[in-house]
Amino acid sequence: MSEEHGLPSGTTQYPEFRLRLPNDGPEARGRLLADKGTNGSQKFVVLAGSPARAEVVPSFPQRMPSSYRLRQRLIDEGTLVASTGLPGWLQTARDVECNSPSAAAEILVGRSANGYTEWKSADGHPLSDYLDHVWWGRSRAWLVRGSNVSGLDLVQRLWLSEGMVSLSGRHLRKGIAQGISKNRLRTAVDEDYASTATYNQKMQLVEEFHAFLARMRPGDTMCTISGGRLYVGEIAGPAEQVDSEDGRSNLRRPVEWADHGHPYDELPEELQQRLSAQHDVVDLTVVKDLLDGLGLSDQDLIDEAEATDRDPSVEIPALTARRELELPEPTDELAAELLVHSTEWLREVRDLLWDERQLVLYGPPGTGKTYLALKLAEFLGGGPEQVKLVQFHPSYAYEDFFEGFRPQEDVETREVAFRLTAGPLRELADLASREGNRHIPHFLIIDEINRANLAKVFGELYFLLEYRNKSVRLTYSGDDFALPPNLFVIGTMNTADRSIALVDAAMRRRFAFVELSPRTEPTSGLLRRWLKREGKDTEPAELLDALNSRIDDRDFRIGPSYLMKKGVYREGGLERTWRTKILPLLEEHHYGEGVDVEARYGLATLRESLG
């Protein structure tokens, strides 16, 4: 026992820490011990007479079962009793030794807590400031795989039962300390794994070891997968290098795991995307808010937030992260603006986008495919800021569409070098996945989608179009990439363009196809509706119908947009448009057939047929 404080030896190096209870409540007091618990976390003593909340939040038993059981045991044995000086509060009747600072905080506040930041010294410094060689900053989340380590499932065999997480460092030299720099670690791995790992394997080992030893810290969220379930816990102490007979778990960290895992198939899609990254150590901080809300109702999250001193004007991150993505219902006003015959038709297109997330509008030229795609995307996305358009052509490639190395001039040195540059899809995907944007639909419009070599343009992205809950390793940057759930793709396809073969079965499986044809609505009556709205004579619509009735190939029938321009209705405009826009298309269609296009499709012929 320490003579100064009457506490176990090893405590005098740390100051006394204090914990302010919620809603400007009283302060609890405690000390950090040098001794470690069975799983390697540093113990913490809550001093006698420290106050505690009388109630716990409803989610506490589920989120932190070990702390909840400890609190109940302390109440049952008379260690946590009603306070005599603070009505409505509990207090500790004696010193209480806990396995970690977080557990010590949790038994007092009755909810999950990060003790490394919530326990503070008298001058306001968090407990984390008093620990050596730990990388501090915003609390992070991590995935470490342990279900197939040299043929063994360490998650079930070791991690959950002993409260830990580990990495194999069989060939790594002894004495590798927590907080080691990446440069020193790279030198050690290069030497220690010189004959047992390839260059790429050594690069990956450096990244994983550095994350485990230098970037993870107590209080971070830890995840692992086993038996089709995701297990979540909290890192409870520093990293250690220990002897392991089989070499499978040389590097270890203590973790306080929740009792039950979450079925993988029921996880949010964005979380499944991140978990599918093929690495042994993955930074999951971008989806930490989703992890924080797993297994909890909205009310549970509200109760937890109210049990803290949180600013009520600030949104609860876990609630914000689970905000539902929605595509608004098309309205009668939208149908009227687009001159679509039925709002129900627009709703069907919206539902196809919601179900498939990729859709192609196809039909002959002039059927308004691009216009409709843009206007519909702007309505569903909430504005033009969420819409990006790109047009495919025969020389378009993956490097243009997604990412590739392109020459760029340095502004200062004026030297030109090849740098990795994002294409329109990568830019839009990054925007859609930005925090705060994930519930907002974003749209990529691909005009003339069938005019490029689609396999060449999409590359590995073809896989992601069908498997939105997965991620892939990118060709150039090497990043793990997934298409955000709120990214939708609308393509347009001109069926009269014979320069490129029809799309293959792989694309047909990944896209829904909606026809815009002059023989069916909403295209067949579009010109009449437009003429009526503009107060013009209906003759152009009758001429167009007569023209299309003479064209046998439906892919070469003429769309109404050729006759929906102001120039058509100036003096001589209809004749000029017919002669310079419509007849040349039909000349090409009948090339080599000996058809007199003017005699068959000319205005004089059509007017005569109409009487």
Side-chain angles (χ1 to χ4, degrees), residues 60-196:
F60 187 41
Q62 179 183 347
R63 281 173 74 86
M64 288 299 163
S66 58
S67 296
Y68 174 74
R69 288 192 294 266
L70 174 58
R71 177 183 163 100
Q72 289 303 113
R73 180 167 60 81
L74 294 174
I75 292 174
D76 293 342
E77 69 184 23
T79 301
L80 200 54
V81 297
S83 173
T84 53
L86 297 169
W89 296 86
L90 303 180
Q91 71 177 37
T92 53
R94 60 173 178 81
D95 292 351
V96 178
E97 187 177 284
C98 302
N99 276 332
S100 69
S102 291
E106 287 161 357
I107 65 169
L108 299 178
V109 297
R111 57 168 172 80
S112 60
N114 185 344
Y116 296 90
T117 57
E118 296 197 30
W119 285 106
K120 296 180 180 180
S121 61
D123 51 3
H125 293 292
L127 183 149
S128 58
D129 286 357
Y130 296 87
L131 300 179
D132 296 330
H133 308 298
V134 179
W135 184 86
W136 296 105
R138 182 191 173 194
S139 181
R140 307 184 73 84
W142 304 90
L143 167 72
V144 178
R145 298 188 187 279
S147 59
N148 187 17
V149 180
S150 302
L152 289 180
D153 187 344
L154 294 182
V155 178
Q156 302 295 337
R157 181 171 177 170
L158 188 67
W159 294 2
L160 299 180
S161 57
E162 297 194 17
M164 59 177 289
V165 67
S166 64
L167 270 187
S168 173
R170 177 178 298 185
H171 303 289
L172 199 59
R173 66 189 62 178
K174 302 294 182 186
I176 295 294
Q178 178 176 273
I180 185 173
S181 70
K182 186 179 286 189
N183 189 52
R184 288 180 55 207
L185 192 56
R186 187 179 294 112
T187 302
V189 170
D190 282 342
E191 295 174 359
D192 300 346
Y193 287 81
S195 60
T196 58

Side-chain angles (χ1 to χ4, degrees), residues 293-466:
L294 284 180
L296 301 181
S297 67
D298 290 356
Q299 189 58 49
D300 289 336
L301 294 173
I302 293 171
D303 290 341
E304 283 195 358
E306 289 177 347
T308 68
D309 290 324
R310 182 188 66 90
D311 183 350
S313 64
V314 178
E315 289 187 314
I316 301 169
L319 273 180
T320 305
R322 65 167 55 164
R323 187 181 298 170
E324 290 284 336
L325 171 67
E326 293 181 355
L327 290 181
E329 287 283 338
T331 61
D332 293 341
E333 290 75 18
L334 178 66
E337 178 189 348
L338 299 179
L339 295 172
V340 170
H341 67 296
S342 163
T343 308
E344 192 57 41
W345 185 87
L346 287 174
R347 288 197 185 102
E348 182 177 320
V349 174
R350 178 256 184 207
D351 292 343
L352 282 171
L353 267 173
W354 182 254
D355 294 338
E356 303 294 335
R357 302 196 211 181
Q358 293 94 226
L359 178 145
V360 168
L361 300 175
Y362 71 99
T367 47
K369 299 178 292 294
T370 305
Y371 176 83
L372 181 61
L374 282 168
K375 289 296 183 181
L376 191 58
E378 289 177 8
F379 173 82
L380 296 175
E385 300 83 7
Q386 282 72 248
V387 181
K388 182 181 284 287
L389 184 142
V390 60
Q391 188 175 68
F392 280 5
H393 50 78
S395 62
Y396 209 74
Y398 175 91
E399 292 77 9
D400 305 304
F401 185 50
F402 191 72
E403 68 176 13
F405 287 97
R406 300 177 194 169
Q408 289 186 6
E409 183 182 56
D410 189 287
V411 228
E412 296 180 359
T413 65
R414 314 298 293 177
E415 293 179 354
V416 176
F418 282 88
R419 292 183 174 85
L420 189 62
T421 307
L425 177 57
R426 183 72 195 259
E427 289 176 345
L428 187 62
D430 290 346
L431 177 65
S433 59
R434 188 178 299 169
E435 195 170 358
N437 283 353
R438 296 172 191 161
H439 65 287
I440 301 174
H442 288 66
F443 289 83
L444 177 68
I445 309 296
I446 305 177
D447 201 28
E448 305 286 4
I449 193 171
N450 58 322
R451 298 195 68 236
N453 183 335
L454 295 178
K456 179 181 178 183
V457 171
F458 278 96
E460 68 270 19
L461 304 177
Y462 243 164
F463 172 82
L464 296 181
L465 290 174
E466 186 171 9

